[in-house]
Structure formats: C-alpha cells, structure tokens
Amino acid sequence: MSLLNVLQPHPEDRLHLRLHRARSVVLTAQELVEIRAAQRTFEGAYIRTALGQFSFALVVLKIFTAEFYSIGALFATYGVGVLMVSLYRRYEGNRQFFSEVGEDGLGRKRFRTSGNAVVVLTALSVGAYASLIVLTARLES
C-alpha cells in the first residue's frame, strides 16, 4: 500500500457492499452496529490516545520550566505519530467491511488484521520511551 492510495479523494468509490458503492449503500441495523463498534474500539482508541498525549504535552509545556520543553515536544510528536496510525487504521477499517472491485470487475473481500498498525505503534512507542529515558537522564546531569 502506498501513501498515494491512502490520500485518494474518495476511496469509497472503490469500496462496495452488496454491489453498491460504499457512499450510497443503505446499511442494515446489524451492519451499523458492527461498523460503529469497530470504529469505537479501533479508531476511537487511537484518537483518545493521541488526544491524551497532546494533553500531557500541553501540561508539560505550560506547567514546567524550559528544561522540560523537550519532553513536552516528545509527547506532542508521539501524539502526532499515534494520530497517523489512527488514520491508517481507519483506512484499513473501511476496507474490512466493504469489498474492493478489482480491474477485472470481480469483487474481493479480505479480512486484514491490525498487525501492521500494531507493529508501527510498537516501534513508535519503543522509540518514544527510549527518547524519554535519554531526555530524563540529561535532566539529572
């Protein structure tokens, strides 16, 4: 998957459910519940985490002295990273519920786990915590 595929103006035109484009489909009550639950669980969790990181960064930047600014900037950067993972997870979530029509006109529906998002978020978290340890060690000296 390239970055250009994520940034297409209306990916709903490629996604179909019961032979309808994703933008014009009328969902049943069970399908709506399923989609909302997945959005609450996956997309909402990433957004809440990003907002929490932004809030903590703001607290650090507003309350503490200038020597802690690098830690506040680290948490703000981490929040941006989590927000980017959230956008990627939203893109993958849309493809989870709707099928894609290929160039040959045949519909394809494949379930994809969130493994890629978890790997990226794990690497981002390990990098952020390693940076936090280094920044904290520099404060003591």
Side-chain angles (χ1 to χ4, degrees):
M1 184 198 79
S2 71
L3 184 60
L4 294 175
N5 288 341
V6 175
L7 299 176
Q8 287 181 353
H10 295 289
E12 294 89 5
D13 289 336
R14 292 181 293 116
L15 303 173
H16 291 75
L17 180 68
R18 294 189 309 270
L19 302 176
H20 295 283
R21 285 184 308 199
R23 270 201 267 182
S24 63
V25 69
V26 177
L27 299 172
T28 65
Q30 292 86 7
E31 290 169 336
L32 279 174
V33 168
E34 181 79 18
I35 289 173
R36 288 178 185 153
Q39 286 176 336
R40 234 184 357 261
T41 303
F42 297 117
E43 296 172 26
Y46 290 119
I47 294 290
R48 285 189 301 272
T49 302
L51 288 175
Q53 296 302 317
F54 291 140
S55 299
F56 186 70
L58 186 63
V59 166
V60 169
L61 292 172
K62 286 292 189 180
I63 293 179
F64 294 100
T65 59
E67 62 187 1
F68 290 95
Y69 283 179
S70 58
I71 294 175
L74 171 68
F75 279 101
T77 304
Y78 182 68
V80 168
V82 172
L83 192 61
M84 293 298 131
V85 171
S86 169
L87 292 174
Y88 174 73
R89 184 65 182 115
R90 179 179 174 88
Y91 170 76
E92 288 294 322
N94 284 340
R95 291 178 51 206
Q96 176 180 347
F97 291 103
F98 299 101
S99 59
E100 219 168 350
V101 176
E103 291 82 25
D104 56 359
L106 298 175
R108 292 173 179 79
K109 184 171 184 168
R110 294 186 341 222
F111 176 77
R112 291 201 35 116
T113 63
S114 60
N116 294 340
V118 171
V119 169
V120 170
L121 195 58
T122 300
L124 185 67
S125 298
V126 167
Y129 284 118
S131 300
L132 182 61
I133 290 170
V134 169
L135 290 174
T136 306
R138 286 187 181 170
L139 287 176
E140 295 173 359
S141 55

